[in-house]
Amino acid sequence: MAKAYVLMNCDMGNEKNIISKLNEINGVTETHGTFGLYDIFAKIEADDEKEIQKIVTNSIRQLPEIHSTMTLTRSECDDLFPSVEKNDIKQGENTSQAYIVIHTDKGNELEVLKNLSHIAEVREADAVFGFYDVLCKIEAKDYDSLEHVITKSIRSLSYIKTSMTLNVISEQEK
């Protein structure tokens, strides 16, 4: 299965409406409003990368309220960059979420993924192609815990050059 993440900038104040429209698009499996450089985050899953391209080009980029997008496609080379997913999440247990996009030292994406897999709050992580090298989703019981994981656990990992955090805005959820 192909997977991609789309980071979007949009008309201010229309995030909730755009998120609702994105959730109606077949293949869009997750959407969030975010604080940070981007306004909205979407996760797309499809049978192949051609279908991902169609979803982004023919559906997401056609929404007039969206000004720009950055698409990060997941590496399909599972031997080199294994996908890390933790399925033991209890819905509603964690109230604070964020996505972190990471620039790694060249060639060390796998090592960063391995290190992220040992952090309990990291729920999903992928090596991606695009402007960034790794993307991960973190969840914590509250904002203070989330902040601690980001500053003390993730940012201190070896081979991470820079990171950008996109905090999820819970009031924009569908």
Side-chain angles (χ1 to χ4, degrees):
M1 169 148 313
K3 188 189 301 184
Y5 305 92
V6 183
L7 310 175
M8 295 164 257
N9 290 68
C10 65
D11 287 345
M12 299 310 292
N14 286 319
E15 294 89 351
K16 196 168 187 175
N17 181 43
I18 296 166
I19 288 169
S20 180
K21 289 179 182 180
L22 290 168
N23 285 329
E24 294 174 8
I25 298 171
N26 191 28
V28 174
T29 60
E30 194 174 324
T31 57
H32 303 283
T34 59
F35 290 122
L37 185 59
Y38 300 98
D39 303 316
I40 298 175
F41 171 94
K43 179 178 169 181
I44 303 169
E45 294 179 295
D47 290 335
D48 56 41
E49 288 197 25
K50 284 191 180 230
E51 186 62 27
I52 297 269
Q53 290 172 1
K54 286 180 189 176
I55 293 167
V56 173
T57 303
N58 299 335
S59 298
I60 293 175
R61 289 187 180 161
Q62 296 304 313
L63 295 174
E65 304 90 351
I66 295 177
H67 299 291
S68 64
T69 63
M70 176 181 296
T71 303
L72 305 171
T73 56
R74 185 186 79 178
S75 168
E76 288 294 331
C77 185
D78 288 336
D79 293 332
L80 185 56
F81 304 115
S83 176
V84 176
E85 293 191 32
K86 298 179 181 179
N87 297 318
D88 60 346
I89 304 167
K90 294 182 179 133
Q91 291 291 13
E93 188 175 293
N94 295 315
T95 60
S96 295
Q97 296 180 4
Y99 288 87
I100 302 175
V101 287
I102 299 168
H103 290 287
T104 67
D105 289 335
K106 187 176 179 178
N108 287 295
E109 298 88 350
L110 177 59
E111 195 63 35
V112 170
L113 283 175
K114 284 180 186 176
N115 291 336
L116 287 170
S117 72
H118 299 293
I119 299 171
E121 293 83 0
V122 174
R123 300 303 187 193
E124 184 176 344
D126 281 307
V128 293
F129 296 115
F131 187 69
Y132 301 100
D133 303 311
V134 172
L135 181 143
C136 70
K137 177 181 182 177
I138 58 173
E139 292 183 353
K141 63 182 179 179
D142 55 39
Y143 184 78
D144 289 340
S145 299
L146 188 75
E147 183 179 313
H148 181 79
V149 170
I150 294 167
T151 59
K152 302 298 183 204
S153 299
I154 294 175
R155 289 188 179 164
S156 66
L157 293 176
S158 299
Y159 310 115
I160 292 181
K161 289 174 24 179
T162 63
S163 67
M164 179 179 58
T165 302
L166 301 169
N167 288 318
V168 170
I169 303 171
S170 60
E171 68 185 36
Q172 291 181 346
E173 299 295 310
K174 186 176 175 184

